[in-house]
Amino acid sequence: DCIILTQTLHLVFDMAAAIANIHRALKSGGVLLVTVPGITPLDRVEFLDSWYWSLTGPALQRLLSGPFEPEKVAVETSGNLYAATAFLHSAAVEEVSRRKLDRFDRAFPVTVAARATK
């Protein structure tokens, strides 16, 4: 089985407990696919009072490596200074350089993604 958890975990204050419950819900060999925000503006309307975290790649790796075996966790980040700045300014993709978006800089993670196998 597979649990897909996109852009949600940062709204849960006790992330470690949430990950432990997800791990418990997966069958042996099951996979968790998760994305979390890195550099991001806070949602001003719906989630301002419940947006607790933004994560780096190492933070998500460490969080998942509690219940999941560390060698079965793969984390990848995407983003760069240009992408982060454009995102923070709410620029539409049509307004920015595609070539500049495609560069990667680990220091500016806009999105952090992971695959963890039980």
Side-chain angles (χ1 to χ4, degrees), residues 83-95:
T85 302
F87 185 51
L88 292 173
H89 284 283
S90 301
V93 72
E94 297 83 12
E95 300 172 319

Side-chain angles (χ1 to χ4, degrees), residues 76-81 99-111:
E76 189 174 301
T77 61
S78 61
N80 59 45
L81 177 59
R99 183 179 54 77
K100 290 180 181 180
L101 287 178
D102 289 340
R103 293 186 189 136
F104 171 70
D105 185 341
R106 188 174 172 216
F108 296 95
V110 176
T111 302

Side-chain angles (χ1 to χ4, degrees), residues 3 7 27 49-50 61 118:
I3 294 175
Q7 302 302 99
K27 70 178 183 181
D49 294 329
S50 62
Q61 177 78 41
K118 183 173 180 181

Side-chain angles (χ1 to χ4, degrees), residues 6-109:
T6 57
Q7 302 302 99
T8 303
L9 191 57
H10 61 286
L11 302 172
V12 177
F13 189 79
D14 191 349
M15 288 192 295
I19 294 299
N21 284 327
I22 289 168
H23 183 266
R24 189 170 29 258
L26 283 170
K27 70 178 183 181
S28 181
V31 175
L32 167 64
L33 301 174
V34 59
T35 63
V36 295
I39 297 170
T40 184
L42 299 181
D43 183 306
R44 291 186 182 117
V45 179
E46 190 172 354
F47 299 113
L48 185 60
D49 294 329
S50 62
W51 194 296
Y52 298 113
W53 314 104
S54 291
L55 298 172
T56 62
L60 187 57
Q61 177 78 41
R62 186 170 176 180
L63 179 67
L64 294 174
S65 293
F68 291 91
E69 296 176 34
E71 63 275 3
K72 293 185 177 181
V73 176
V75 176
E76 189 174 301
T77 61
S78 61
N80 59 45
L81 177 59
Y82 181 78
T85 302
F87 185 51
L88 292 173
H89 284 283
S90 301
V93 72
E94 297 83 12
E95 300 172 319
V96 297
S97 165
R98 180 64 110 177
R99 183 179 54 77
K100 290 180 181 180
L101 287 178
D102 289 340
R103 293 186 189 136
F104 171 70
D105 185 341
R106 188 174 172 216
F108 296 95

